[in-house]
Amino acid sequence: SLTVSMACALARRGHAVGVTCIEAVGELADRLRDAAIRVSLVPTPGVRTLVHAPRLVEHFRRVRPHVVHTHNGTWEKGSRAARRAGVP
């Protein structure tokens, strides 16, 4: 999958990489964990969380990522939460 390939490639280059799931930890989690990549679950269900996802904001504040990459329909929720958490 794109997520596993990208995360593993970044980790091999020395980056600290984590993957945050917002609905469920899926079948790719074991492959990520086997590659020593942190996998977190931050349940952020529903349409309301498109505007404000407090759990996701708090997660990003705690983890303090340098970059948040989103895709698969989560881009708006993830990018808004990252911005609110102070991720540049």
Side-chain angles (χ1 to χ4, degrees):
S1 93
L2 174 65
T3 301
V4 173
S5 296
M6 188 166 35
C8 289
L10 289 167
R12 281 193 302 273
R13 288 175 177 81
H15 297 281
V17 179
V19 173
T20 301
C21 307
I22 63 170
E23 292 181 5
V25 175
E27 60 190 46
L28 302 179
D30 289 337
R31 289 174 49 199
L32 291 163
R33 289 181 181 128
D34 288 346
I37 294 170
R38 176 187 41 80
V39 177
S40 303
L41 174 61
V42 182
T44 313
V47 176
R48 286 183 177 207
T49 58
L50 286 173
V51 176
H52 184 56
R55 285 190 225 162
L56 195 54
V57 171
E58 180 55 35
H59 171 73
F60 288 148
R61 284 184 179 148
R62 188 174 52 260
V63 175
R64 302 185 65 196
H66 294 139
V67 175
V68 171
H69 172 83
T70 61
H71 61 277
N72 288 349
T74 64
W75 68 268
E76 186 173 12
K77 192 178 291 194
S79 61
R80 284 181 191 226
R83 181 62 67 191
R84 284 201 168 123
V87 179

